[in-house]
Amino acid sequence: MVDSPSGAGPKNAITDVVGVSVGHRHRLDERWATGSTVVLTPEGAAAGVDVRGAGPGTRETDVLDPDHLVQLVHGVLLGGGSAFGLSAADGVLRWLAERGHGLRVGSTPHEVVPIVPGAVLFDLPMSDWGRRPDATFGYAACEGVTRGVPATGNVGAGTGAVAGALKGGVGTASAVLDDGTTVGALIAVNSSGAVVDPRTGLPWALSSGLEGEFDVPAPSTEAIAAARGRSARTDRSGTEIAPLNTTIGVVATDAGFGKSECRRIAVAAHDGVARAVRPAHGMTDGDTVFALATGERSGAPIPGEPGWVAALDAVCTAAAEVTARAIVHAVLAAESVAAVPGYTRLYHPGWE
């Protein structure tokens, strides 16, 4: 196991970062398997983004360019529904605007424009056609936000996710650095690549875990052999589907970084995706990671001052680690949906 300097935060979740809350809205029944997740920073956070997949579905990513006007975002939408699911962000905007959160554009408190970038994953085959998130999903996700431990597995954006030949889902993790800086990640895993080593039957990034974080026994040789025969990506009925995918997520820190540094953190987080998903960043993936800096922790070095480079490198290193761990948590928490098996069903039959 690889130990971080000070271990995880108390919740081992992105909500260990002060100023961040998370909410989910989803439907999972015989006709639906999709949803939306919001990561809210109502008071504003610096943000950056890095898109590595060749088939992204995104919204408001241009505004995060360091040389563009807007400096803070008020939330990030992660959702299912492919391009249709981007409409869920409209509900997030409405919820924030009703509460006066956003970029001030007038003289009265209600004259605001919330800035809510977002990314979606392809889960359309997991629901009947036409069943996908809309603005009501985004609004409801905001209504259910928590600063506690967010739900994981088949929730929110991960409800209809499929990771390789396994059920995907939402996972989260955090780390506290030696200087007290907190870094957290929340990832929705819907990858074309595999999340499990076919030779061992264990998640690729299991070794990224902190001491005692992942209590996963080695599968039997019989289970490993049976799983190797299941390489196709299927919908809930078991029909093989085209590999249209995407791993999307948010990494957050309480350090006082700006947009340029957030961009570097988002770049580094993709290293964690590549450790946990093999292969990653393909032509049919839309892999996208947002990075947020709430600035709630005082004393962070500013660009050009001594210690700035080391502080940013430390957060970037942690961003890759928490991203990889969050993906493992997503895989382990995801439960089977009809013909799409969760990790437990496939590698530890009888446990579910």
Side-chain angles (χ1 to χ4, degrees):
M1 295 291 181
V2 177
D3 236 327
S4 73
S6 300
K11 291 171 277 196
N12 197 16
I14 195 172
T15 47
D16 284 317
V17 177
V18 178
V20 173
S21 56
V22 173
H24 301 296
R25 168 70 172 100
H26 54 268
R27 284 194 64 176
L28 179 58
D29 54 37
E30 67 278 1
R31 304 187 71 183
W32 290 78
T34 191
S36 302
T37 294
V38 292
V39 178
L40 289 186
T41 53
E43 303 307 318
V49 65
D50 188 40
V51 180
R52 292 293 176 94
T58 57
R59 170 177 172 146
E60 292 270 44
T61 51
D62 281 353
V63 76
L64 304 183
D65 192 304
D67 66 1
H68 288 182
L69 172 66
V70 173
Q71 296 299 304
L72 303 175
V73 306
H74 306 93
V76 175
L77 169 80
L78 305 175
S82 190
F84 299 106
L86 289 169
S87 64
D90 293 340
V92 182
L93 264 70
R94 181 164 71 90
W95 190 90
L96 288 165
E98 288 174 354
R99 290 154 180 79
H101 299 297
L103 175 67
R104 303 227 168 260
V105 295
S107 58
T108 60
H110 72 277
E111 294 178 294
V112 296
V113 178
I115 307 300
V116 183
V120 288
L121 51 80
F122 183 85
D123 62 357
L124 297 179
M126 293 295 285
S127 300
D128 288 356
W129 187 256
R131 271 68 179 178
R132 55 236 183 185
D134 57 17
T136 64
F137 276 66
Y139 193 93
C142 292
E143 289 281 85
V145 292
T146 179
R147 291 187 178 178
V149 181
T152 59
N154 295 1
V155 296
T159 304
V162 179
L166 293 173
K167 182 68 182 69
V170 168
T172 189
S174 70
V176 180
L177 308 185
D178 278 343
D179 66 357
T181 300
T182 300
V183 182
L186 184 140
I187 309 291
V189 187
N190 185 64
S191 59
S192 173
V195 290
V196 171
D197 182 344
R199 298 166 300 177
T200 66
L202 295 172
W204 286 114
L206 198 70
S207 61
S208 297
L210 305 180
E211 189 66 37
E213 183 173 15
F214 302 123
D215 186 15
V216 182
S220 68
T221 56
E222 293 79 10
I224 294 171
R228 284 177 181 161
R230 183 185 176 87
S231 58
R233 182 182 174 87
T234 64
D235 64 16
R236 65 190 301 156
S237 69
T239 303
E240 187 171 347
I241 58 177
L244 297 172
N245 316 287
T246 296
T247 296
I248 53 179
V250 178
V251 174
T253 179
D254 55 5
F257 292 131
K259 291 170 73 176
S260 294
E261 294 95 331
C262 286
R263 159 74 176 166
R264 295 305 308 169
I265 294 167
V267 168
H270 276 287
D271 291 346
V273 174
R275 294 172 193 172
V277 177
R278 303 184 189 184
H281 310 140
M283 291 298 293
T284 61
D285 290 305
D287 299 342
T288 300
V289 178
F290 297 92
L292 306 175
T294 65
E296 293 286 348
R297 184 177 176 277
S298 61
I302 61 176
E305 286 192 347
W308 169 69
V309 171
L312 179 56
D313 275 348
V315 170
C316 286
T317 299
E321 293 174 353
V322 295
T323 296
R325 288 165 47 212
I327 290 173
V328 176
H329 281 295
V331 172
L332 298 181
E335 298 177 357
S336 303
V337 172
V340 184
Y343 175 82
T344 299
R345 179 196 286 180
L346 196 59
Y347 287 97
H348 297 284
W351 279 22
E352 270 195 342

